[in-house]
Amino acid sequence: MTQLDGTADMGASAAIARIDTRQLLKTMHWYDGFVVALANPGFIIASLGYTIGSIGALGALVVWAGSMLIGVLQNKIFTEPATMFPDRSGGIAIYAYEGWRSRFSFAGPMAAIGYWAGWTAVLSIFGLTIGSLIQAQWFSTATWSVNAGVHLSLPRVIGIAVIVGVWLTNTLGMRPTKIVGYLTGGLLMVPLLLFTILPFFIADYHASHLSFGLFAAGGSTWGIIRLAITWLYLNGWSCYGVEVCATFAPEYHDTHRDTSLALRSSAIFSLLVFTIMPLGLGGAMSQAAIAKNPLTFYVTVLRSEIGSASGIVVVFIIASFVLAMNSATMDGARALYGISRSGMSIKWFNHINRFNVPSRGMDADMVVNILAVLFLPSTVAILAASNLGYFVCIAFALSAVVLLRKDRPDWPRPIKLAPGWIVAAGVLAVVNVVLLAIGSVSFGLTGYGGWAEFFVGIGLVVLGCVFYAYRKLVQDHEPLKLTDPPSAAELAAGIAAHSVAMGSPSPAASLAAES
């Protein structure tokens, strides 16, 4: 059972969330969670060029702002379950598991592997993007490539090297991870300013570039609707990802206050960025020019803004992508650890290393993403393949909020939402199911992929079910059931763990945890 404890360390007691023989330390404040979620503005940098190239700047504004608005509403909804299970690592996948386990036991492992897939894909997406930017800025003549079963080029080699570097930093514990997060988060502010505000004041900015290409690209009425839904689907993970703050609930000093503040502040900040950036960058270059170079057009914009100093800002952009990869590694590894600890996946992931981090999940992240860099053709293809599972998780998690209100009305809820928000959770669950059902099979409309990415996504969800079956039948020696309602003893233990985890550490413990 989870408990809050004090562990002697150089004469002080560190506040910890005890898990087996090693612990996740309670070393985070709400602003630490906000810095982790700063990865989300970086997500739009990696994908915006593809959106503008497909449906124009104004079309991109509609789908990005629309997706982010949904993300803001969902973040508000997730504040309730985040404080219902403050001792549980794993984020929204844990809510899906708890809400659905008495009705459909496979919902938890499907949501869990989908959640992990959505976040782990960041490593390969941004590794490739970093490699492409470095090539465009400093090695533009190095255009060699190998396509013999695997895809190999200079950007891919660079991407693999960055993935290994981020893995190494994260396995050494929270202190170096937080240092990297703050450094890269601070550097991110520079490109955000240059891509959201400064483009409006350069000579190359023209309102005529702000095209609305959704109608032309979609053709028929149904084609337009399908294309809009497809981009809402593809952008969904980038926008919804602000829920990452909930994953660290067991590691916040004040679980109630810090979790709520982190979720709210990250969502509002991302909404502002995602609304302004399509207008700024979309007016600086034509849709055709951006479509030709959807990843590297930023270099052209920077040269128009600041000339030869663009190389310095590219370094800042790369730093922002490292922040995204850092956040993804932190979140994805904790998701694998949390689902394993809850009995939804193989026991191998239920491990904390001597630096108090779930290193085996990080190992899995590194290996899977190196394979993605080598075998998948583009960043948006990687996103499409991982997005399917993430939407499965979102739909299960939102509906779980409704089910938990019905099934566990007396469970402690430090943040209890008004009934209208519970209705909104159900509505948004349906909306996301529609986006998933149509968007996942319509990826070919974007011009950047097709059915292969859909089947990779399906395969990941199936893999989650296989891991769950192996855990139950082979490792736990239990029958595989379609329903797995919690026992009275489990519920009592969960409520007891909740009461302990919601306690605030003493000042001395907080100082020790920071030391």
Side-chain angles (χ1 to χ4, degrees), residues 212-377:
F212 188 80
L214 183 60
F215 292 161
S220 64
T221 301
W222 174 236
I224 294 169
I225 295 173
R226 278 186 68 196
L227 185 57
I229 287 175
T230 301
W231 278 113
L232 286 171
Y233 167 72
L234 288 174
N235 296 345
W237 168 80
S238 300
C239 298
Y240 301 173
V242 286
E243 46 72 20
V244 64
C245 300
T247 301
F248 302 96
E251 297 171 77
Y252 291 125
H253 284 286
D254 185 334
T255 303
H256 180 178
R257 176 179 178 274
D258 289 333
T259 303
S260 179
L261 280 174
L263 285 167
R264 184 166 63 249
S265 60
S266 62
I268 293 173
F269 180 78
S270 293
L271 178 61
L272 290 173
V273 172
F274 284 32
T275 301
I276 299 173
M277 191 178 291
L279 294 175
L281 289 172
M285 290 181 66
S286 68
Q287 178 180 347
I290 293 175
K292 187 177 180 180
N293 297 289
L295 281 180
T296 59
F297 80 97
Y298 298 103
V299 175
T300 304
V301 174
L302 288 173
R303 287 171 180 164
S304 297
E305 293 178 332
I306 55 178
S308 60
S310 62
I312 299 174
V313 180
V314 169
V315 174
F316 292 173
I317 297 173
I318 290 171
S320 73
F321 292 160
V322 172
L323 169 65
M325 297 170 72
N326 196 54
S327 300
T329 301
M330 293 170 67
D331 193 48
R334 282 160 176 79
L336 289 178
Y337 167 75
I339 65 178
S340 176
R341 185 168 173 258
S342 297
M344 287 186 286
S345 191
I346 55 177
K347 290 183 178 181
W348 187 75
F349 292 121
N350 187 6
H351 172 77
I352 298 289
N353 72 3
R354 63 190 180 93
F355 298 106
N356 303 103
V357 293
S359 57
R360 288 180 180 172
M362 296 171 186
D363 298 341
D365 284 345
M366 178 185 65
V367 172
V368 168
N369 280 280
I370 288 176
L371 292 175
V373 168
L374 292 174
F375 288 99
L376 289 177

Side-chain angles (χ1 to χ4, degrees), residues 453-476:
E453 291 77 15
F454 170 79
F455 288 115
V456 171
I458 291 293
L460 288 170
V461 174
V462 172
L463 180 63
C465 297
V466 171
F467 279 174
Y468 176 65
Y470 182 84
R471 172 65 181 267
K472 287 295 184 183
L473 296 173
V474 178
Q475 295 184 320
D476 294 341

Side-chain angles (χ1 to χ4, degrees), residues 114-125:
Y115 183 73
W116 168 79
W119 274 100
T120 195
V122 174
L123 294 172
S124 48
I125 290 172

Side-chain angles (χ1 to χ4, degrees), residues 420-456:
W421 283 106
I422 306 304
V423 174
V427 171
L428 288 174
V430 173
V431 168
N432 280 290
V433 168
V434 172
L435 296 180
L436 170 63
I438 297 176
S440 63
V441 297
S442 304
F443 180 51
L445 294 177
T446 67
Y448 297 113
W451 283 100
E453 291 77 15
F454 170 79
F455 288 115
V456 171

